[in-house]
Amino acid sequence: MSTAIESLVNREYQYGFVTDVEADTIPRGLNEDIVRAIAAKKNEPEWMVEWRLKAYRRWLTMTEPHWSNVSYPAIDYQDMIYYSAPKSVKPLASLDEVDPELLRTYEKLGISLTEQKMLAGVAVDAIFDSVSVGTTFKEELGKQGIIFCSFGEAIQNHPDLVQKYLGTVVPHSDNFFAALNAAVFSDGSFCYVPKGVKCPMELSTYFRINAADTGQFERTLIIADEGASVSYLEGCTAPKRSGNQLHAAVVELVALDNASIKYSTVQNWYAGDAEGVGGIYNFVTKRGKCVGVNSKISWTQVETGSAITWKYPSVILQGDNSTGEFYSVAVVNNRQQADTGTKMIHIGKNTKSTIISKGISAGRGNNSYRGQVKVMPRATGARNYTQCDSMLIGNECGAHTFPYIEVQNDSAIVEHEASTSKIGEDQIFYCKQRGLNAEHAISIIVSGFCKEVFQNLPMEFAVEAQQLLGISLEGSVG
Amino acid sequence: MTQPETAVAHYLEAFDGIDGGEADRIRELRRAGMDRFVALGFPTMKNEDWHYTSVAPIATRSFDRTSFPSTVPSTDLDPFLFDSPEWPRLVFVDGWLAPELSNVPPRAGIDVSNLRPSLVDGSVDAALLGTIADHDTVGFTALNTALMQDGAVIRIGANVELETPIHLVFVSAQPVPLAASFPRNLVVLERGARASVIESYFGLRDESYLTVPVTEISLGEGARLEHVKVQNESAVAFHVGTIEAVQQRGSELHSFSYAAGAELSRTNVYTVLNGPGSSCTLNGMYMVSGVQHVDHQTRIVHAQPNTTSREIYKGILDGRSHGVFNGKVYVRPEAQKTDGKQSNNNLLLSDHARVDTKPQLEIFADDVKCTHGATVGRLDEVALFYMKSRGLDAEQARTLLIYAFAADVLETIPVKPVRDALEAAVFARVRGEELQLTSE
């Protein structure tokens, strides 16, 4: 079995290629001029520039946090290029005008825009490096009053909405990486679903890091107005590189009365080679705020890539009867490290949260679940259920669980369960005896282990996620 | 109120004032402890191990290390002896041995004495004292190492089985406020030995005082120790205690920590399963009200294969009290076939009580079975309703449910008189009666 494992483990990253597109970059390093230059390139209004500068000045006073259970060499923030845009950024009437090189990249990734348009009925706002290059289904969404565009466009066309909600969930001063993002973010997605509108399709973007040594600083803002609902998909792959790349994105979700937002992520950025050289540092701040009563925010994530994943998609349950959910599968192999989990902050009455986290460690990877469930004194009737399970494959990996449960209201019911196990030899034996090979058996067992999370993914993502999982763990069992 | 730096300087002064006449290596050990304490200072809430407990009430006062025991009439101890005055016992008053209250009949294969003489002549086991409890990184253990006064040294010879428990009684009775005692105990069970040790902590006066005990435990191959700690300090007292054990092949540690007293208390229970097949059960129960703060931290290190750990801590919190639990389970890469189970359940009886719990698993081996769980909630409305429908009044139903919650873990206490006494104490407290530690 061990040889099968080895061959599987050693499978190369399939999406490691570099698209040769002439990129428009600014000088290396970070200072106020760079912040202004980024804003100028994007032709941003004065209030936006001021906001960026405020964040930049705040960032200067902050120190990089080191409390997570991950280790990496020091990052030189002056040795990065903070903005990179593919040259061809004039507004495009249709996909035909998109650089064919880019389209081929997407095809290699198996996410052809055209194909997706036809088959899946998904509106794709594809982000190639930092600028949105193609937007589809905009018209159809527009008929319903839904705004779905790049962040840059939103600043130009919907400044009132951006000003009203930007930084209300993740303030510019929230943490070191969020402040950095606020100062230098290049682009991202913006979505506003008006009152009472149920978004008729899954909204989706693909992020991709392309130009070498470009930190990518995405910013996403999704607002579901009263009674609205929306499901948003984010998927990522990145080409193979030797230098580590920092990705410090910020995602803000706002759900008003009776609104619901579902945010799904499949993250498969380059994880570095078997010795841990290269790979993406994925330090992301994702947070949703259930502002209104009966609102709901649900995070689903499948994290298979990145050298280091450090993120906690969280929900602030402010409105009475609001609901927060977090479903996560995190896989580490080789020398990958993941410190991920969630925060559920119960503020309103009768708020409910559910956390299901599945961690799989293989090779020499280290996987940590870190979650906080906090019930504030006024959160009468709060309810939380947490389950985090870990699976270890091989004896050089690690699984860690750090739940923080803080309850200040006696009517709260909070439950936390965690387990750690391995794939049993008897399970593999049974599958093999039924005619499956070891690799297939593992794939099936792992799929079963993660079933509760995959069930919460939109259909087309669920398929992709299972495949990713299979690839990530190839060769890891012996 | 003083600054923490002032308090550190105050303890440094106390350290300098310790009269000589002790063996050189004891002086070196004390010096090492003091150096580390000066370097570490008091932990702040930024320290992950103290995230939910502020020791400011301790750090901003200057407690004085007692230099002699107060006089305590033997009848004052009676309520705390679990109706078992016949047990061999050592009584320490304000940290110092009170020979007139102690009674240890000699027995072959068993050596029970106080620490003090062996500090002077240097005969204390150098391989053990100060080597099990970590004074390098744990500030309060460093402080105890620097300022330790007296305590029990228990050695049970190979294959000796002790039927009666040994009772270590630590009583605070200084008539002046801000007294501090630093008991230090060493419990050694050689190969195949079996024993029960009970540590009781209580105060006889309502003065603010500080107790910082450290107990080091060494279990030889196949040894089994039942250890019960009963912390029932006075309501304005402070208690920061550590129990740290190292276990060899096939040994068993059964530890129970009961905490109901003190304004602020912290109990650390640490063990290293350092031999294949060794196992531990760390259970505990805390019951607080008013403005009490109770904190438990446990750490189980599975360092060898086929080791087993079981852990249940339960808390009952009333008034504005604050309960904290942090249970760590480490599984080292070589500790294959580890089997670990941990749970922490908290019952909130008032709107203003607060619980912070952090069960924690850190696993580096793949062939393991580890689970942990934590719950926080109040009494089950349905269960209350059911009992009322069976003719019990609301108060009876409530009392019974709380008692049942506690009895679940209390009944794991291996020493019956202690189990009975603590069950009675919980029952009395739930009914709002005066806390009585004697059994009925």
Side-chain angles (χ1 to χ4, degrees):
Chain A
M1 216 187 298
S2 65
T3 50
I5 291 169
E6 262 178 41
S7 68
L8 282 175
V9 170
N10 297 334
R11 206 166 118 170
E12 296 274 303
Y13 182 71
Q14 292 183 318
Y15 301 133
F17 51 86
V18 176
T19 313
D20 197 9
V21 178
E22 203 185 337
D24 172 19
T25 57
I26 58 171
R28 218 166 262 274
L30 183 56
N31 54 47
E32 292 205 4
D33 290 341
I34 297 283
V35 175
R36 285 206 173 83
I38 293 169
K41 276 197 186 294
K42 304 186 64 63
N43 194 25
E44 287 177 354
E46 194 50 34
W47 57 267
M48 197 61 231
V49 182
E50 279 309 311
W51 196 76
R52 284 177 182 276
L53 287 172
K54 196 166 63 171
Y56 172 70
R57 287 169 197 145
R58 185 58 185 258
W59 179 74
L60 287 177
T61 68
M62 299 168 109
T63 49
E64 192 180 333
H66 287 289
W67 47 262
S68 66
N69 194 20
V70 298
S71 56
Y72 53 91
I75 298 169
D76 184 351
Y77 294 93
Q78 295 302 337
D79 192 33
M80 272 193 286
I81 297 165
Y82 284 87
Y83 183 81
S84 160
K87 269 279 169 66
S88 56
V89 287
K90 55 183 186 301
L92 302 169
S94 76
L95 285 174
D96 301 340
E97 294 181 28
V98 172
D99 188 338
E101 187 76 7
L102 288 186
L103 288 180
R104 269 196 295 278
T105 303
Y106 291 127
E107 267 161 41
K108 279 191 216 167
L109 290 172
I111 52 151
S112 148
L113 291 177
T114 40
E115 195 183 354
Q116 287 218 0
K117 253 168 99 176
M118 288 191 306
L119 293 179
V122 175
V124 176
D125 177 20
I127 300 209
F128 189 89
D129 269 26
S130 310
V131 172
S132 162
V133 292
T135 306
T136 52
F137 285 97
K138 218 174 209 173
E139 265 180 48
E140 198 176 329
L141 292 170
K143 275 185 217 152
Q144 307 249 19
I146 297 168
I147 302 164
F148 181 44
C149 59
S150 73
F151 214 102
E153 284 173 57
I155 291 171
Q156 303 300 333
N157 303 332
H158 308 284
D160 47 331
L161 284 173
V162 175
Q163 267 183 294
K164 187 170 175 188
Y165 292 107
L166 177 69
T168 58
V169 184
V170 181
H172 70 274
S173 56
D174 190 78
N175 66 63
F176 183 82
F177 296 108
L180 180 64
N181 174 288
V184 302
F185 77 89
S186 39
D187 213 333
S189 297
F190 175 87
C191 177
Y192 172 81
V193 186
K195 279 183 192 173
V197 173
K198 307 253 178 272
C199 186
M201 63 188 78
E202 309 269 358
L203 301 180
S204 155
T205 49
Y206 276 83
F207 293 105
R208 202 172 146 71
I209 300 174
N210 194 271
D213 293 332
T214 311
Q216 186 157 3
F217 301 92
E218 237 67 61
R219 192 154 189 121
T220 302
L221 176 57
I222 298 174
I223 303 137
D225 211 326
E226 291 171 23
S229 77
V230 60
S231 171
Y232 187 88
L233 284 66
E234 173 202 356
C236 323
T237 53
K240 187 164 184 167
R241 303 226 170 263
S242 58
N244 288 305
Q245 291 182 311
L246 175 67
H247 182 95
V250 170
V251 176
E252 295 181 280
L253 309 182
V254 180
L256 301 181
D257 288 357
N258 304 304
S260 83
I261 300 174
K262 183 176 171 66
Y263 194 104
S264 312
T265 307
V266 171
Q267 186 262 108
N268 182 31
W269 283 326
Y270 180 52
D273 64 16
E275 290 309 309
V277 177
I280 306 287
Y281 292 170
N282 184 23
F283 299 166
V284 179
T285 307
K286 289 184 169 180
R287 195 176 302 153
K289 197 171 188 176
C290 286
V291 179
V293 297
N294 306 319
S295 53
K296 178 178 173 184
I297 289 178
S298 176
W299 297 99
T300 306
Q301 63 174 21
V302 177
E303 304 281 333
T304 60
S306 292
I308 302 176
T309 300
W310 184 6
K311 69 171 199 176
Y312 313 97
S314 308
V315 184
I316 299 168
L317 297 153
Q318 187 179 306
D320 290 350
N321 311 318
S322 56
T323 306
E325 292 174 351
F326 175 76
Y327 300 97
S328 167
V329 169
V331 182
V332 292
N333 200 349
N334 295 323
R335 286 184 176 269
Q336 278 178 280
Q337 307 173 63
D339 192 323
T340 183
T342 184
K343 279 186 188 184
M344 293 290 175
I345 314 292
H346 293 259
I347 300 171
K349 293 186 173 57
N350 300 315
T351 46
K352 290 186 173 49
S353 61
T354 306
I355 300 169
I356 308 283
S357 167
K358 306 281 181 180
I360 300 167
S361 313
R364 299 162 84 171
N366 265 303
N367 205 335
S368 304
Y369 166 82
R370 188 185 302 274
Q372 183 183 43
V373 176
K374 187 166 192 163
V375 178
M376 305 299 279
R378 285 162 195 273
T380 306
R383 182 79 177 88
N384 163 267
Y385 175 73
T386 302
Q387 188 189 337
C388 48
D389 298 322
S390 307
M391 185 179 269
L392 294 121
I393 303 173
N395 57 3
E396 287 184 297
C397 53
H400 316 271
T401 317
F402 306 93
Y404 296 71
I405 300 162
E406 307 176 12
V407 181
Q408 299 184 40
N409 186 299
D410 71 320
S411 63
I413 302 175
V414 178
E415 291 172 274
H416 172 95
E417 277 186 272
S419 73
T420 301
S421 55
K422 72 171 220 165
I423 296 181
E425 280 162 31
D426 48 344
Q427 290 170 314
I428 294 176
F429 178 77
Y430 178 82
C431 292
K432 283 168 87 175
Q433 174 236 36
R434 295 272 150 178
L436 301 173
N437 62 23
E439 192 181 316
H440 200 169
I442 289 153
S443 164
I444 282 180
I445 295 163
V446 170
S447 286
F449 177 71
C450 302
K451 196 175 80 185
E452 288 152 287
V453 175
F454 287 155
Q455 277 170 348
N456 285 287
L457 282 171
M459 182 57 174
E460 59 272 35
F461 250 29
V463 176
E464 190 179 332
Q466 284 200 6
Q467 282 171 349
L468 268 181
L469 212 61
I471 293 166
S472 301
L473 290 171
E474 272 177 3
S476 58
V477 179
Chain B
M1 289 284 170
T2 51
Q3 292 300 307
E5 301 76 43
T6 319
V8 171
H10 181 77
Y11 294 116
L12 190 56
E13 206 174 294
F15 170 75
D16 291 334
I18 293 175
D19 50 358
E22 287 182 336
D24 287 348
R25 38 169 297 267
I26 298 301
R27 283 211 300 272
E28 282 162 28
L29 180 63
R30 284 190 191 277
R31 166 57 66 186
M34 198 66 222
D35 288 348
R36 286 310 297 155
F37 178 69
V38 170
L40 293 163
F42 286 101
T44 66
M45 289 166 89
K46 283 189 180 164
N47 181 331
E48 189 65 21
D49 284 346
W50 293 86
H51 190 57
Y52 297 112
T53 297
S54 166
V55 296
I58 298 173
T60 54
R61 288 177 170 90
S62 295
F63 291 93
D64 294 308
R65 178 184 189 257
T66 59
S67 45
F68 59 91
S70 328
T71 311
V72 173
S74 68
T75 49
D76 282 7
L77 300 183
D78 290 347
F80 301 96
L81 298 182
F82 306 107
D83 279 348
S84 305
E86 71 282 4
W87 288 348
R89 97 178 152 258
L90 288 177
V91 178
F92 297 87
V93 177
D94 303 321
W96 302 94
L97 180 73
E100 71 284 2
L101 301 172
S102 305
N103 170 35
V104 181
R107 211 191 119 172
I110 295 168
D111 183 11
V112 179
S113 59
N114 68 318
L115 177 68
R116 184 77 211 143
S118 63
L119 292 180
V120 175
D121 63 21
S123 64
V124 65
D125 196 332
L128 295 172
L129 185 77
T131 62
I132 299 172
D134 168 20
H135 58 255
D136 274 344
T137 60
V138 183
F140 281 98
T141 299
L143 185 62
N144 174 287
T145 304
L147 300 179
M148 59 186 168
Q149 299 151 308
D150 206 345
V153 180
I154 298 173
R155 182 179 284 278
I156 312 291
N159 299 318
V160 173
E161 289 189 29
L162 196 61
E163 299 80 26
T164 44
I166 297 170
H167 194 188
L168 307 178
V169 180
F170 299 88
V171 48
S172 289
Q174 287 276 318
V176 291
L178 299 180
S181 59
F182 301 91
R184 181 77 169 219
N185 305 306
L186 181 59
V187 179
V188 181
L189 268 64
E190 289 175 3
R191 169 196 294 262
R194 279 161 188 261
S196 303
V197 173
I198 295 148
E199 290 181 31
S200 293
Y201 294 86
F202 54 90
L204 293 176
R205 293 178 209 273
D206 288 330
E207 297 287 0
S208 172
Y209 60 85
L210 170 68
T211 314
V212 183
V214 171
T215 300
E216 293 179 285
I217 297 171
S218 165
L219 299 185
E221 269 186 34
R224 177 187 159 94
L225 175 69
E226 293 163 351
H227 183 274
V228 184
K229 174 179 170 182
V230 179
Q231 185 274 99
N232 214 27
E233 303 277 20
S234 86
V236 289
F238 301 93
H239 180 104
V240 181
T242 299
I243 296 161
E244 206 154 344
V246 175
Q247 300 184 234
Q248 300 309 321
R249 176 188 289 268
S251 64
E252 284 175 61
L253 171 66
H254 194 297
S255 150
F256 194 96
S257 170
Y258 173 85
E263 180 179 323
L264 168 67
S265 78
R266 160 74 170 244
T267 302
N268 301 321
V269 183
Y270 302 147
T271 188
V272 182
L273 299 168
N274 210 25
S278 53
S279 68
C280 69
T281 302
L282 307 187
N283 290 351
M285 156 96 208
Y286 43 96
M287 181 170 59
V288 286
S289 58
V291 293
Q292 284 183 285
H293 181 106
V294 60
D295 182 353
H296 274 92
Q297 184 177 72
T298 67
R299 185 179 63 216
I300 299 166
V301 180
H302 290 265
Q304 293 289 326
N306 295 303
T307 49
T308 305
S309 65
R310 290 289 179 271
E311 182 169 10
I312 302 171
Y313 268 79
K314 288 199 171 199
I316 299 175
L317 300 114
D318 204 350
R320 296 186 159 274
S321 64
H322 185 177
V324 179
F325 175 80
N326 176 207
K328 302 183 183 188
V329 176
Y330 293 91
V331 180
R332 296 215 179 128
E334 54 273 36
Q336 296 291 0
K337 307 277 180 200
T338 282
D339 179 358
K341 274 199 184 116
Q342 179 192 59
S343 76
N344 173 232
N345 311 108
N346 295 282
L347 185 57
L348 297 175
L349 298 179
S350 107
D351 289 350
H352 302 291
R354 168 174 174 189
V355 166
D356 295 306
T357 173
K358 195 179 144 207
Q360 190 174 324
L361 294 174
E362 296 207 38
I363 295 168
F364 290 96
D366 63 335
D367 191 3
V368 300
K369 257 196 314 197
C370 278
T371 63
H372 70 189
T375 61
V376 182
R378 60 178 170 190
L379 290 173
D380 183 355
E381 306 273 342
V382 177
L384 279 172
F385 177 79
Y386 175 80
M387 293 173 99
K388 284 196 266 186
S389 77
R390 295 275 149 174
L392 293 162
D393 67 33
E395 197 46 42
Q396 284 172 320
R398 180 176 170 275
T399 307
L400 211 55
L401 278 179
I402 298 171
Y403 178 73
F405 174 83
D408 223 22
V409 65
L410 287 173
E411 67 193 18
T412 67
I413 297 174
V415 184
K416 188 170 183 303
V418 179
R419 178 169 70 231
D420 292 347
L422 294 183
E423 284 184 0
V426 169
F427 206 56
R429 188 143 171 181
V430 171
R431 285 186 307 199
E433 290 168 15
E434 192 60 30
L435 188 62
Q436 280 288 324
L437 268 180
T438 47
S439 55
E440 296 298 314

